[in-house]
Amino acid sequence: MLLPVAISVLVGAFAQRITGMGFALIASPALVILLGPFDGVIIVNVCAVLSSLLILPRVWKQVEWRRFAWLVVPALVGTLFGTLAATAVPGPWLQLGIGALVIVALTVTLLVTRTEHVVHGAPPAILTGAASGFMNSAAGVGGPALSVYAVASRWSQTGFAATAQAYFIVIGSAALASKLATTGWQLPELEPGAWPWVIAALLVGLVLGELLHARISHRAARIAVIAIAYLGGAAALVDGALELLG
């Protein structure tokens, strides 16, 4: 089980460096299937925070701090409700919910790209932050809501990718702290010696992304992230359904 976990982390970190988001989209469905809904999402939160911390110094000057503030405050409120949902909902149902959240959010993202309407001001950012915080805490996938807002507001890729790192650090840390507090600060029980391999996979993914991001168009990277995330969301739905039927 350690190899597929490490591969999921590596590919997620690679996508995060290339597009500014995508770690949770790619890694969360696979890790939920491999480790269970609660432990899987905690691993996603840990690795997502670490990857954003490592990327942020590279993009610090492009962070749009005003927009960051409008997003992150409501996201912290959404995080609290997401944590309650994650601890109260049975595992198979939560797994179904995780798969559905990924698929619905990605579909909305694609639909938004076909419209010419542009959103402005604080209300859309506040709504986005609340939805993203809830989804990140409950399912480890706060990125799709942020991506929908970025497309709808015609946010530049450079500003979005940079600001997203600071945003994911805050909401990922909040989600992780709230979840660990509800379990007595117990980390997921991985195989002996697994954590060094998970961190190594994270670093390898980020290094590969750093080396190749200038050679890969943002459009091609986004398409790949969406396609892989769709497959992951569908797999989580199927696995949750099989557990309920079994």
Side-chain angles (χ1 to χ4, degrees), residues 2-214:
L2 178 57
L3 180 61
V5 169
I7 291 174
S8 299
V9 170
L10 187 153
V11 176
F14 177 79
Q16 184 81 10
R17 181 64 188 97
I18 294 294
T19 69
M21 58 167 285
F23 184 92
L25 282 174
I26 291 177
S28 180
L31 292 179
V32 164
I33 291 173
L34 293 168
L35 303 174
F38 197 80
D39 285 354
V41 171
I42 287 181
I43 296 295
V44 168
N45 288 147
V46 170
C47 291
V49 169
L50 288 176
S51 64
S52 291
L53 278 170
L54 292 170
I55 294 170
L56 184 59
R58 301 279 298 170
V59 297
W60 180 267
K61 293 181 179 180
Q62 286 78 47
V63 176
E64 298 178 19
W65 293 107
R66 181 179 177 82
R67 181 136 39 177
F68 162 80
W70 282 116
L71 289 166
V72 78
V73 174
L76 292 174
V77 177
T79 294
L80 296 176
F81 289 97
T83 299
L84 293 175
T87 55
V89 179
W93 286 108
L94 186 58
Q95 193 158 313
L96 284 171
I98 289 171
L101 281 173
V102 171
I103 291 173
V104 170
L106 287 170
T107 302
V108 171
T109 301
L110 294 178
L111 293 175
V112 169
T113 61
R114 298 178 180 273
T115 71
E116 296 183 357
H117 179 68
V118 181
V119 300
H120 300 282
I126 293 172
L127 180 62
T128 297
S132 174
F134 177 87
M135 291 176 64
N136 185 70
S137 183
V141 285
L146 201 65
S147 182
V148 170
Y149 169 73
V151 173
S153 64
R154 303 301 188 264
W155 197 352
S156 71
Q157 174 62 27
T158 300
F160 166 73
T163 307
Q165 306 315 309
Y167 174 82
F168 287 135
I169 289 170
V170 174
I171 68 166
S173 298
L176 183 61
S178 61
K179 286 180 183 178
L180 292 178
T182 63
T183 60
W185 301 94
Q186 294 182 353
L187 290 174
E189 296 182 3
L190 300 180
E191 298 177 24
W195 276 106
W197 287 101
V198 170
I199 301 303
L202 178 73
L203 294 175
V204 170
L206 290 176
V207 170
L208 289 175
E210 181 69 28
L211 293 174
L212 298 176
H213 81 278

